[in-house]
Amino acid sequence: MRRRALLAGAVAALALGEPLHAATRYEGPLFDAHLHYNDEAQQAHPVADVLGRMQRSGVRAIVANSRPNDGTLSLASARDATRAAGLTVVPFVRLYRNRADYSSWFGDETIHQMVLEQLARGTPAGPFRGLGEFHLYDSANADGPVAAKLMKLARERGLAVLAHCDEVAVEKLLAHAPGARLIWAHTGIGGTPVAKVRELMLRHPALIGELSYRPGLTDGRGGPADEWREAFTALHGRFVIGSDTWINPRWQHYEALMDEYRAWLGALPVPLARRIGWGNAAGLFGLPDPQQ
Ligand SMILES: [Zn+2]
């Protein structure tokens, strides 16, 4: 009997100790701060489908952008449906009319003109609140004339900028417009050392890190890696999450992606998890807390 009791105790301890992260899943609202509703997604996943995925995932606000910009407009136009889903759409102007624009926008004056036109037009969900996502595969292109112009425009108009680039390009972009609100897509997708991320954030108080695809983020046991936990604690107002639905499989797995966030956020203290999951992005755009 004694042996059995001991054994039962050990099993109970294991059960208590092991799945700690899973047991403390983050249950609060999510703000998806990096979402695309591109051309090809609109056919496979009509508005009702993507809104259903967000609603089932507890996503209460999104940064919406798309190639071309009509996808964003269809989300921003679906006022009744987004209201019913409890979702706030924060529209961004994307710089891409087509895939060719990814690698030339930074020197293309017609993109600058398109951005000005879109900003003037606005959306049924309100004015555009940001620019991007844009890509800089070669950091030198952050000094392209249109990249510099758009950074200055963003700062002048209080727009956020969602940029996929390395740490060199972050510095270059912010040199064009010091103090501009730059959301760094993926926070160093090439594996920028966490110490470097922290140093950049300390030097640039308006730099925000978005965490999709960030290598080394989790510890393999369901929680954030130690160095990330420390960064989140030290810079608690500076990180946000996103789905990055850049291809249709990301839409197919949307709920699972949000579940992954809930799992590792659950390993953080609840107020910190809520900041990263919701509050930091909500604060950027002045959104109130959801009712429930
Ligand atoms: Zn993206």
Side-chain angles (χ1 to χ4, degrees):
M1 278 305 282
R2 199 167 157 250
R3 208 181 120 87
R4 272 185 65 185
L6 273 175
L7 201 66
V11 169
L14 258 181
L16 279 175
E18 240 178 48
L20 225 158
H21 297 328
T24 54
R25 187 175 177 271
Y26 167 69
E27 299 289 357
L30 291 175
F31 192 131
D32 181 349
H34 182 164
L35 178 144
H36 309 291
Y37 192 42
N38 290 334
D39 223 3
E40 60 277 13
Q42 294 167 45
Q43 293 137 34
H45 300 282
V47 169
D49 176 90
V50 296
L51 292 182
R53 288 169 194 274
M54 293 170 205
Q55 194 170 15
R56 289 192 294 278
S57 306
V59 168
R60 305 300 302 272
I62 56 169
V63 158
N65 70 95
S66 64
R67 160 187 44 77
N69 282 299
D70 62 344
T72 304
L73 288 175
S74 62
L75 287 173
S77 303
R79 302 292 290 148
D80 289 343
T82 52
R83 202 174 296 121
L87 183 83
T88 300
V89 176
V90 177
F92 274 33
V93 180
R94 202 153 198 213
L95 312 188
Y96 306 149
R97 298 156 299 196
N98 50 53
R99 285 202 181 272
D101 287 338
Y102 283 54
S103 48
S104 57
W105 67 269
F106 37 83
D108 186 341
E109 179 56 29
T110 66
I111 301 268
H112 178 228
Q113 289 307 319
M114 175 191 74
V115 169
L116 292 175
E117 284 161 22
Q118 293 283 343
L119 289 175
R121 198 172 303 156
T123 85
F128 285 103
R129 306 296 305 276
L131 308 179
E133 180 194 24
F134 60 69
H135 297 75
L136 290 163
Y137 299 116
D138 178 349
S139 43
N141 292 329
D143 287 332
V146 171
K149 264 187 203 176
L150 290 178
M151 287 306 297
K152 291 187 171 83
L153 178 74
R155 187 181 55 181
E156 269 168 33
R157 301 207 186 177
L159 302 167
V161 171
L162 179 60
H164 173 132
C165 60
D166 66 9
E167 63 273 24
V168 177
V170 165
E171 300 264 31
K172 284 177 179 290
L173 290 172
L174 289 172
H176 299 309
R181 294 190 299 165
L182 181 64
I183 304 172
W184 189 7
H186 320 300
T187 320
I189 198 166
T192 308
V194 181
K196 180 71 188 172
V197 170
R198 292 180 64 162
E199 182 214 312
L200 272 174
M201 287 191 163
L202 287 175
R203 266 191 298 116
H204 301 290
L207 178 62
I208 299 287
E210 182 276 319
L211 296 166
S212 61
Y213 284 107
R214 167 65 218 199
L217 188 65
T218 54
D219 63 2
R221 287 172 287 132
D226 287 346
E227 58 181 352
W228 280 105
R229 183 188 296 264
E230 287 160 17
F232 295 152
T233 305
L235 295 157
H236 51 75
R238 309 293 290 281
F239 294 95
V240 300
I241 60 124
S243 59
D244 192 10
T245 44
W246 66 290
I247 44 171
N248 286 358
R250 300 285 285 184
W251 278 118
Q252 286 152 26
H253 301 296
Y254 190 85
E255 288 109 311
L257 284 168
M258 292 300 125
D259 252 359
E260 281 173 29
Y261 280 123
R262 290 189 180 281
W264 69 253
L265 285 171
L268 296 172
V270 173
L272 181 56
R274 195 177 168 101
R275 270 177 167 274
I276 298 170
W278 169 263
N280 290 340
L284 263 182
F285 303 107
L287 266 56
D289 261 11
Q291 295 296 308
Q292 45 185 321

